[in-house]
């Protein structure tokens, strides 16, 4: 809806603990990497997720969709790009792609929806200031 | 496609290691529980996934979609129902719902697509015998 | 100290997600299984760990020692035996052995020390009632 | 034995998925961070662990001892120092300390023993070249 938030880039290296006996990164690891990227996205916008929680806000995942195109392997360096694809007062949808610079392959894409709840897990709304920062390019709202 | 495979039920108890600081089971845990249920499903149909791998077949996840409706908590007993919603020569889609008998709540639903690849991770086809067993109600193919 | 607590037995089946590319269960999984066994031990003594936390008590791990003798593999059924090897007002040491009934092999042993802290993570003492139950054979204190 | 290997430093940031409902990093995460540090140590000595595995060598963990002194929390930046404390033809012991630069606290120490096995998991010896590199300060053996 005319949102112009940034695209952030996060880097992870595949950990041995993340592999499975197929010799590839287990499919749950991609969700964890997306979560790492989401923390980085928020930080880039001047939002520390740990502060949101300290203020009583929780952002549990309510929907996740992942498409796996090629396998990540142990010790691979991966880049996760993250952006906000939709934002409303109670929900934010983050989109991701995960690629491997070494061979320029796109390994996976994901869309993950978070809902705002309070510390009792009742649905709430995102504070306007947080919502505003989520979708402002370059975090300029931080002025 | 007129498939009439069974619906299996698996039980897990939420582990402490599966919780996060929101006080609920982390969203990756649901994928692990679905994997547990999938192994049980295959076993109920007379298929040992470890034998498939020993025979050179791999079934990596190529797509996953999860909807989280209510939070699972530490020590909750959960039931995962699992069935095959689509099966073709190269792909199988498993569907799941995860509920908590204690309060009869549906916590999550999921659809997870597996693709058949060989030990070199090249796309292959499911052996006809495996495919047949996947969708036979009650595992009657085991005769 | 003349303690005569019970030895409990818990069963787990190795999950695919717990394997690594060596084709065996990753060494962190054993700590998770010990945690599962510890919850079962407490339950057998009439203690619900979730209730202890609700009452403000936390039992973080302060020391862990594991010896790995043979590898657990995907889909193996394992038995974890758990008992209290030492208990004092601020610390409890649980001991474990993990074996595979199918071939009667002992796979691992562990000793894990928990410390009592309050909800602010300050050291505290175990309530006498909890301490008493920890080491009573057969949970007879539950009368 | 007069070994003079280097001490490497690795950095991790605590992931949300690594926390538990106590609000701290779960005790298994420290083992994973040590594994990350070990990969970095080997790399610093000119050894790619993935190449060792490709050559048929495996280095499973046979013993682990961890002492937890203070809790790591979500989003904390941690530094893991890693060095070889003992090395022999079949076994290598890595030592670690994990600290948080922000408040200069030592959070944990660990000692983890790896054994050399072949691709059939039979005990073997470390190739002399690998053993030599493990304990040479600054990786000078790479000349």
């Amino acid at each position: 809806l005319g949102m112009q938030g940034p695209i952030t880039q996060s880097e992870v290296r595949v950990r041995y603990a993340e592999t499975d006996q197929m010799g590839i990164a287990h499919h749950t690891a991609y969700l964890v990497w997306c979560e790492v990227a989401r923390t980085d996205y928020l930080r880039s916008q001047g939002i520390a997720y740990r502060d949101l929680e300290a203020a009583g806000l929780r952002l549990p995942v309510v929907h996740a969709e992942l498409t796996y195109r090629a396998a990540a392997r142990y010790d691979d360096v991966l880049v996760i790009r993250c952006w906000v694809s939709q934002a409303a007062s109670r929900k934010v949808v983050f989109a991701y792609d995960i690629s491997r610079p070494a061979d320029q392959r796109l390994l996976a894409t994901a869309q993950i929806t978070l809902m705002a709840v309070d510390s009792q897990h009742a649905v709430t709304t995102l504070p306007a200031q947080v919502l505003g920062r989520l979708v402002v390019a370059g975090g300029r709202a931080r002025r």
Side-chain angles (χ1 to χ4, degrees), chain A:
Chain A
L1 296 134
M3 289 176 302
Q4 300 289 338
I7 297 174
T8 56
Q9 297 207 15
S10 301
E11 196 178 287
V12 296
R13 191 184 275 272
V14 180
R15 298 172 172 188
Y16 200 87
E18 292 169 338
T19 64
D20 64 25
Q21 71 179 36
M22 239 182 278
I24 60 178
H26 192 262
H27 58 285
T28 51
Y30 297 72
L31 274 174
V32 175
W33 303 330
C34 288
E35 196 172 59
V36 167
R38 198 156 63 237
T39 295
D40 286 346
Y41 182 94
L42 294 174
R43 184 181 295 113
S44 82
Q45 298 299 93
I47 303 167
Y49 182 69
R50 71 194 326 183
D51 294 344
L52 295 188
E53 286 207 347
L57 186 69
R58 305 281 180 275
L59 293 174
V61 171
V62 293
H63 189 260
E65 183 170 3
L66 300 105
T67 303
Y68 302 87
R69 295 162 181 274
R73 289 169 189 283
Y74 167 60
D75 218 29
D76 281 353
V77 174
L78 307 180
V79 170
I80 306 111
R81 298 198 314 152
C82 174
W83 63 98
V84 170
S85 63
Q86 267 184 276
S89 59
R90 290 155 190 275
K91 276 189 185 180
V92 187
V93 184
F94 285 92
Y96 310 83
D97 62 43
I98 301 177
S99 58
R100 181 171 48 211
D103 62 358
Q104 299 187 292
R105 290 203 61 179
L106 174 64
L107 304 186
T109 56
Q111 281 216 313
I112 297 176
T113 307
L114 310 182
M115 190 170 62
V117 301
D118 63 24
S119 56
Q120 308 312 309
H121 287 270
V123 176
T124 186
T125 53
L126 284 164
Q129 195 193 21
V130 171
L131 188 57
R133 283 184 181 185
L134 273 174
V135 294
V136 173
R140 282 193 293 264
R142 271 175 286 170
R143 270 172 289 159

